[in-house]
Amino acid sequence: MLPAGADARQVTRQLANRFDHDPTKVVTAVVDLPGGAAGRSGQLAGYAERLGAPDVP
């Protein structure tokens, strides 16, 4: 588990160290939002879309 303030580099590093690269595997992320998710569905959907986008150089 990463600390709440972990930046993207920490997350990327941990994923690379702990899991084999296999684009067919599913990774489930759990996010704890202060104040709940009410009214944030648009932001969450946009974030999920960016996470699912392929890396294109």
Side-chain angles (χ1 to χ4, degrees):
M1 178 177 255
L2 292 165
D7 66 21
R9 285 181 301 219
Q10 288 176 293
V11 174
T12 301
R13 215 176 293 129
Q14 287 296 321
L15 286 172
N17 289 339
R18 294 179 183 220
F19 302 99
D20 293 332
H21 178 73
D22 184 350
T24 64
K25 291 186 179 175
V26 174
V27 175
T28 301
V30 177
V31 179
D32 185 14
L33 299 171
R40 297 187 187 190
S41 61
Q43 290 174 313
L44 290 172
Y47 181 64
E49 187 175 322
R50 288 193 312 273
L51 287 176
D55 292 335
V56 179

